[in-house]
Structures are given as C-alpha cells and as structure tokens.
Amino acid sequence: MRVAILVLDRVFDSGLAAILDVLRTADELRGRLPLPPPAWQVTTVGFTETVRTGAGLCVHTSPIAHAESCDLLVVPTVPEQRPGELAAFLSGPESAPARELITRTRARRTPIATACAGTFLLAETGILDGLSATTTWWLAPLFRRRYPHVTLDQSRMVTESDGITTAGAAFAHTDLALNLVRHRSPALADLVASYLVLDERPSQAAHTISGTLAAADPIVAAFERWARERLHEPLSIRAPAEALGVSERTLQRTTRASLGTSPVRFVQDLRVEQATHLLRSTDLTIAAIARRVGYENANTLRILVRDRTGTTAGQHRRTPPQQLAPSPPGPSSRTRG
C-alpha cells in the first residue's frame, strides 16, 4: 500500500504527526495478526525538499513525483484556518501546485483523504461536487457558501464518498488515519486503537458551539439570540420571523444556507446545548432541566441528547455531587449555554 502524504508549508503539526504515527504503528503491529494485511509504504512528499511546519519544525520530503504513482494520497490540513486568509490561500498561487496534484490524482481515480480545512482544498478543485464531505465544524458556514454543490455534514467525524475520505476538525486526523487502517483490516485498526488508546468518535456534534456557527450570518445570529432567551417556551417560526422583521421563508432559507439545517432543528440544538450544560453544572433533575429547555417530557430530552451528542444524559453528569454548583434561578429566568 503506497501512501503519499502531501506536506505543505505551515502544515498543522499534530495533524501530520497523527497520520504518520497511526500508519507506522499499523505497519509495526500487522505481523501480530494471523492474516496480516500488506505493508504500508508511507512517503512524505512536497514541492520543496524541506517544508517548515506551523510550529517551525523542518520536515524533509521526497519529490512530488512519488505521489503520481501512489495508491492513496493523504492531504493533512492546509496551513490557514482563519476564514479570510483561508479563502485567499485557496484561490491564490501558493496552493495552485497542490490543487493541480489533487486534480491529477482524482483523474486517475486514486483514493484521496484529508481532514479539517484540507477539505476546502479538495472542494476548491471541484472534485467534491455532488459528493458528501465533512470539515472542521466551525468553518461549515463558510464551506457551504463557497461550495454549494457539496453535501456537507459537519456533525460527522469521518465521511467517505466515491473514493474520497474527509474528516472533521484538526485532531480528527487521528480518526482519519484509523479509518484508513480499518479499510485494510478492521482487526488491525482495533489493535492500533488499543495500543494508542484511541476511541471511536463518529460525530463532532458534541463539540459544536451553536453560537459560533450562527455568528456567520446576521439574521441567524439574531435568531440565535432570540431563541436562547426563550428556550423554555413553545417554538413557533412565525414569532422569531416577526421579531426579526423577516418572512418565515427568509428565516428558513437563511438558516439552512448558513447552518445546513432548519430553524426548528437549530433550536433543538440550542436546547440540547443548554441541557448538557445544566446536567454538568447543577443538581437539577432531568425532568426539571427538560422543562427549562422547553420539553414537558423528560424522555424527549433524553432521546435528543443521545441523538445529538452520542452520549446519554446520565453520562453528562461528570461532576461529583459535592462539587456541583448551586441550582440556577427558575424557568422564567434567562439562561445562556
């Protein structure tokens, strides 16, 4: 299995290291299996002989020609994470050689894998059009605006679509690498996970901060502020639309364009976010918390928490009882997650 890892200037250090460490460990451990998969031949490639990482470390790379005959091209996250600088990098001359390499690799139908903002680099070439992908959750609004023909699910940790594997935020490089090993041998992936103490993490949802996503659009940001002050009240789309001075249709369309979800589901996310905060920080019962976030039935909240975070409501109670904060004021008070 010939793997070429493309190292760009100012690459995220831990992203590159995670991929190298997981694949090297897989290669070292494969002999312990009764039927070991083929060896991993991993080569770091670059457009210059030496590449400097984001932390200033030097990485020696092999010529880019090694990527032209690889069985898998892996692209650790690109150097820019700030929206403005990222957009300039993607369309500028600095990323042009990488975009050309990705286009040629896809034309040969060679599998490609990336994580975090690296998904933007793949999307910029057009190879993700019509496919599903994920990226770092807080860049999702920018991704949707820039690449409307890509089906983005920022809640996923890893996605696979037509030979292209993408993963979420920066430390999802570990999940990406383990997924690549699992494709070759599920048993080997389990062994690597045990040795490196890696957990399966199917979703980024538990880490998503709804307010950060909403801030990308002024209408959605105003809707988020309005909804947070009324989480304990029944939800009606007409009320916030009237309060914001927009039509219900505009609110629906704007929320979906920015967040990839409906206003109702977004409010559900806000309620789950607040509920998990209360579970961790107070000794309120699940029934009391449910009422504070707009649900008469505690079981409804339990189902939503498990669905959105991948963790049960009970598992969010991590703080010992003696360290719990005092219960906040009653349901009529305004709370912020």
Side-chain angles (χ1 to χ4, degrees):
M1 181 71 173
R2 295 166 299 174
V3 181
I5 300 179
L6 177 62
V7 186
L8 300 176
D9 281 323
R10 306 188 314 282
V11 66
F12 193 67
D13 292 65
S14 62
L16 172 61
I19 293 170
L20 290 171
D21 285 343
V22 170
L23 295 185
R24 183 178 68 247
T25 302
D27 204 46
E28 292 174 351
L29 294 178
R30 66 186 184 86
R32 301 193 179 193
L33 298 179
L35 296 173
W40 297 82
Q41 182 183 327
V42 179
T43 306
T44 54
V45 300
F47 297 103
T48 56
E49 186 174 335
T50 302
V51 176
R52 193 169 292 277
T53 69
L57 303 178
C58 288
V59 177
H60 297 285
T61 62
S62 298
I64 205 69
H66 285 269
E68 303 292 350
S69 58
C70 67
D71 300 310
L72 170 67
L73 175 65
V74 182
V75 185
T77 189
V78 297
E80 297 295 349
Q81 300 286 314
R82 295 164 294 180
E85 288 76 1
L86 175 59
F89 170 81
L90 293 168
S91 59
E94 185 181 358
S95 68
R99 298 198 308 269
E100 293 167 4
L101 172 64
I102 290 167
T103 301
R104 293 195 304 272
T105 303
R106 179 60 175 173
R108 297 193 303 271
R109 302 298 297 178
T110 299
I112 304 174
T114 191
C116 197
T119 305
F120 280 76
L121 190 59
L122 269 59
E124 191 72 15
T125 69
I127 69 170
L128 287 178
D129 286 357
L131 303 181
S132 299
T134 191
T135 187
T136 182
W137 63 264
W138 52 270
L139 288 173
L142 172 64
F143 190 97
R144 287 193 174 90
R145 290 197 301 271
R146 194 174 181 92
Y147 311 112
H149 301 298
V150 182
T151 301
L152 182 71
D153 182 355
Q154 82 269 7
S155 70
R156 297 285 299 277
M157 193 67 76
V158 179
T159 68
E160 299 175 57
S161 187
D162 195 27
I164 298 179
T165 306
T166 57
F171 286 97
H173 284 82
T174 301
D175 304 87
L176 176 69
L178 195 60
N179 180 270
L180 297 176
V181 176
R182 191 169 298 284
H183 265 287
R184 303 289 288 178
S185 170
L188 180 57
D190 291 340
L191 191 60
V192 171
S194 295
Y195 268 77
L196 297 183
V197 196
L198 302 177
D199 295 324
E200 295 285 351
R201 303 181 300 167
S203 176
Q204 297 186 90
H207 307 281
T208 300
I209 303 172
S210 300
T212 301
L213 295 176
D217 183 276
I219 291 178
V220 180
F223 173 48
E224 184 233 355
R225 291 192 296 271
W226 184 94
R228 279 192 186 277
E229 294 175 349
R230 299 165 178 82
L231 291 180
H232 60 283
E233 299 177 2
L235 175 63
S236 163
I237 298 303
R238 175 180 296 181
E242 290 178 350
L244 300 179
V246 299
S247 68
E248 292 180 51
R249 187 173 183 178
T250 296
L251 182 57
Q252 293 271 8
R253 184 178 64 250
T254 305
T255 304
R256 187 165 293 281
S258 182
L259 306 180
T261 191
S262 68
V264 170
R265 187 175 175 88
F266 178 56
V267 173
Q268 289 177 342
D269 289 339
L270 294 178
R271 286 172 165 169
V272 168
E273 180 184 284
Q274 179 68 357
T276 55
H277 167 70
L278 293 173
L279 284 167
R280 291 170 183 266
S281 62
T282 77
D283 57 357
L284 288 170
T285 66
I286 183 67
I289 292 173
R291 289 192 294 272
R292 284 174 178 263
V293 296
Y295 297 112
E296 288 299 322
N297 191 328
N299 198 46
T300 300
L301 179 60
R302 287 191 181 94
I303 293 171
L304 276 172
V305 168
R306 186 173 62 246
D307 177 62
R308 301 300 166 82
T309 70
T311 305
T312 66
Q315 289 173 309
H316 284 279
R317 293 227 187 251
R318 296 178 178 174
T319 308
Q322 64 272 21
Q323 296 180 20
L324 289 172
S327 299
S332 61
S333 67
R334 294 178 178 181
T335 57
R336 292 188 180 273

